[in-house]
């Protein structure tokens, strides 16, 4: 059995563009431990107890800052911005002005561009060993986006085994914003093979179908009679290889589910029968993007010295809809000067008895 532990502090001490990077650790009374780094304001490790009482690290990642810098997959655990997910053709309009972004995902701009928030060293402050705030000021024009944008991402670890993530942003010029966290979860433990045995539940009755470039079509679609119906819990493996056009476009699940749940209600959940660990997601965001790690290449060697191959993790990315600036009928992603963008997402871990 794999014995999981947190990375060493010294392996995250480095300097990038003149700013020092660090590792930070939060612990709670239940034995849960979460590690973060200011490089990308990202989650590095999440150690939670399994049904046998052993700690498992349920988030993919690396043991040093150098491995993050050299990784094939750049988004492990990171805060994503300015705009999470895809913007078609790297273009959008605001007040009749066209903004051009880098195309780093075929014709699309993905996750804010190649030097998005995931690639920045954030400023930080900790309090009471239960909370850490990361702050970053994105200058006007960075990666093609307008406005000086001041962003704060707050992580709090509660004694209910919750990671509470709060986002806040302000701008001095009209802009667009879509923030999320890109943690890759494997509730069997990172490096423990694929997640096809995981049981997912999403109460969403609708999802966003996509085209061959993974850009949403103009309207949402019902999950009825499709592989996207998770209203009754089912294994990821049940329908992921079905002969449906939408699954082919995403090479599996890489789709946004419409979230109409208040933050007091579960927007998505996952459960591993092997470990007994359950993850529940609560959010103020209108979408939960389910990604089943379809494009993990196996090139990255993770914390347990095992390859991260296709479908070795899943993501629940709480966010606004992809390509929203080009779809005025979608929930607005526009932020005006004088407004404050605020969003909250909770990842809650617990143990679940298997139902026979």
């Amino acid at each position: 059995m794999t014995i999981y532990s947190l990375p060493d502090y010294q392996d995250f001490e480095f300097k990038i563009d003149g700013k020092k990077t660090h590792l930070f650790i939060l612990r709670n009374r239940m034995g849960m431990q979460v590690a973060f780094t200011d490089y990308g304001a990202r989650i590095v490790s999440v150690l939670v107890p399994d049904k046998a009482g052993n700690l498992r690290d349920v988030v993919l990642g690396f043991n040093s800052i150098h491995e993050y810098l050299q990784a094939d997959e750049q988004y492990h655990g990171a805060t994503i911005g300015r705009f999470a997910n895809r913007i078609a053709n790297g273009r959008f309009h605001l007040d009749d002005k066209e903004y051009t972004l880098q195309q780093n995902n075929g014709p699309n701009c993905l996750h804010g561009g190649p030097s998005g928030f995931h690639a920045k060293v954030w400023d930080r402050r900790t309090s009471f060993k239960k909370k850490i705030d990361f702050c970053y000021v994105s200058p006007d024009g960075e990666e093609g986006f307008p406005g000086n944008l001041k962003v704060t991402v707050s992580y709090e670890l509660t004694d209910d085994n919750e990671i509470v993530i709060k986002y806040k942003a302000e701008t001095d010029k009209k802009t667009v914003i879509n923030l999320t966290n890109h943690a890759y979860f494997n509730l069997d433990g990172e490096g423990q093979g694929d997640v096809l045995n995981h049981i997912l539940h999403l109460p969403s009755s609708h999802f966003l179908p996509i085209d061959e470039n993974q850009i949403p079509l103009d309207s949402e679609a019902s999950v009825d009679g499709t592989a996207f119906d998770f209203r009754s819990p089912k294994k990821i493996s049940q329908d992921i290889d079905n002969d449906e056009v939408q699954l082919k476009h995403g090479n599996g699940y890489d789709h946004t589910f419409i979230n109409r749940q208040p933050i007091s209600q579960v927007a998505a959940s996952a459960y591993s029968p092997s470990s007994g660990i359950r993850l529940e997601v609560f959010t103020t965001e209108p979408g939960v993007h389910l990604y089943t790690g379809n494009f993990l290449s196996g090139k990255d060697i993770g914390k347990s010295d095992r390859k991260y191959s296709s479908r070795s993790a899943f993501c629940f990315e709480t966010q606004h809809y992809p390509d929203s600036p080009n779809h005025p009928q979608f929930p607005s992603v526009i932020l005006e000067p004088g407004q404050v963008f605020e969003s909250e997402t909770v990842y809650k871990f617990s143990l679940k008895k298997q139902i026979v």
Side-chain angles (χ1 to χ4, degrees):
M1 176 183 168
T2 302
I3 305 299
Y4 291 102
S5 60
L6 296 175
D8 291 330
Y9 288 103
Q10 61 265 30
D11 292 327
F12 281 79
E13 294 177 356
F14 193 58
K15 188 174 285 188
I16 300 172
D17 296 330
K19 297 186 72 174
K20 291 182 179 180
T21 61
H22 309 81
L23 186 76
F24 307 89
I25 296 171
L26 302 181
R27 295 180 171 89
N28 71 6
R29 295 178 181 176
M30 306 303 292
M32 186 171 164
Q33 305 172 44
V34 185
F36 306 87
T37 179
D38 38 16
Y39 175 63
R42 74 181 70 215
I43 299 172
V44 172
S45 296
V46 176
L47 270 62
V48 295
D50 64 14
K51 62 186 179 183
N54 300 309
L55 289 178
R56 298 200 191 199
D57 189 347
V58 296
V59 166
L60 274 58
F62 305 101
N63 283 319
S64 73
I65 194 68
H66 300 286
E67 291 171 285
Y68 279 99
L69 291 169
Q70 297 164 7
D72 182 63
E73 167 56 52
Q74 289 288 305
Y75 305 116
H76 282 295
T79 297
I80 302 297
R82 289 190 188 193
F83 199 92
N85 220 300
R86 296 169 175 86
I87 295 179
N89 301 310
R91 297 175 185 273
F92 68 94
H93 289 81
L94 270 182
D95 295 337
D96 298 324
K97 180 177 179 180
E98 183 177 78
Y99 292 89
T100 302
L101 316 171
Q102 289 200 54
Q103 297 171 329
N104 60 330
N105 174 249
N108 309 316
C109 177
L110 176 67
H111 292 333
S115 295
F117 290 175
H118 65 282
K120 305 300 182 184
V121 180
W122 294 52
D123 295 322
R124 66 278 161 197
R125 58 178 178 268
T126 59
S127 59
F128 308 114
K129 298 185 178 180
K130 290 290 182 68
K131 183 181 177 184
I132 183 166
D133 296 332
F134 293 105
C135 305
Y136 179 68
V137 178
S138 177
D140 183 25
E142 184 173 65
E143 289 295 296
F145 292 93
N148 293 296
L149 188 74
K150 182 179 180 181
V151 186
T152 300
V153 181
S154 170
Y155 294 100
E156 182 179 1
L157 177 60
T158 75
D159 287 329
D160 291 324
N161 283 0
E162 299 168 324
I163 302 173
V164 180
I165 309 174
K166 293 183 179 180
Y167 304 90
K168 184 177 180 180
E170 298 175 88
T171 184
D172 62 0
K173 185 187 293 186
K174 190 174 183 178
T175 191
V176 296
I177 187 171
N178 191 19
L179 303 177
T180 194
N181 180 273
H182 209 303
Y184 281 87
F185 296 104
N186 185 327
L187 303 182
D188 291 337
E190 62 83 26
Q192 297 299 311
D194 64 52
V195 292
L196 296 176
N197 69 311
H198 285 43
I199 298 169
L200 302 191
H201 176 221
L202 292 100
S204 304
S205 61
H206 290 76
F207 76 106
L208 289 180
I210 56 177
D211 65 18
E212 62 275 8
N213 291 319
Q214 295 184 268
I215 295 298
L217 305 180
D218 282 333
S219 59
E220 57 193 53
S222 172
V223 301
D224 280 339
T226 75
F228 296 84
D229 192 349
F230 286 91
R231 289 174 297 181
S232 294
K234 68 179 182 182
K235 287 187 177 182
I236 293 175
S237 63
Q238 181 170 318
D239 295 319
I240 195 170
D241 291 320
N242 282 10
D243 192 26
E244 292 186 25
V245 170
Q246 282 301 307
L247 290 170
K248 293 183 183 300
H249 285 341
N251 197 31
Y253 295 107
D254 196 352
H255 296 74
T256 298
F257 287 76
I258 310 304
N259 174 43
R260 295 190 172 96
Q261 303 287 89
I263 193 170
S264 59
Q265 301 295 316
V266 177
S269 68
Y271 163 62
S272 163
S274 174
S275 68
I277 296 171
R278 174 174 58 186
L279 166 63
E280 295 172 298
V281 181
F282 306 81
T283 187
T284 58
E285 286 295 305
V288 176
H289 193 85
L290 171 62
Y291 175 49
T292 45
N294 313 310
F295 298 104
L296 293 175
S297 65
K299 293 179 182 177
D300 289 334
I301 308 297
K303 287 171 283 188
S304 298
D305 293 325
R306 296 188 178 97
K307 292 182 179 180
Y308 291 157
S309 301
S310 178
R311 299 177 180 172
S312 62
F314 69 93
C315 303
F316 282 148
E317 301 165 65
T318 58
Q319 57 187 246
H320 275 59
Y321 303 170
D323 199 35
S324 288
N326 296 311
H327 297 263
Q329 73 275 27
F330 287 176
S332 177
V333 292
I334 294 174
L335 182 65
E336 301 264 11
Q339 293 180 334
V340 178
F341 170 86
E342 291 184 291
S343 175
E344 181 175 350
T345 291
V346 178
Y347 290 128
K348 182 175 182 177
F349 296 89
S350 59
L351 292 175
K352 179 177 183 293
K353 293 182 179 179
Q354 187 169 358
I355 299 174
V356 178

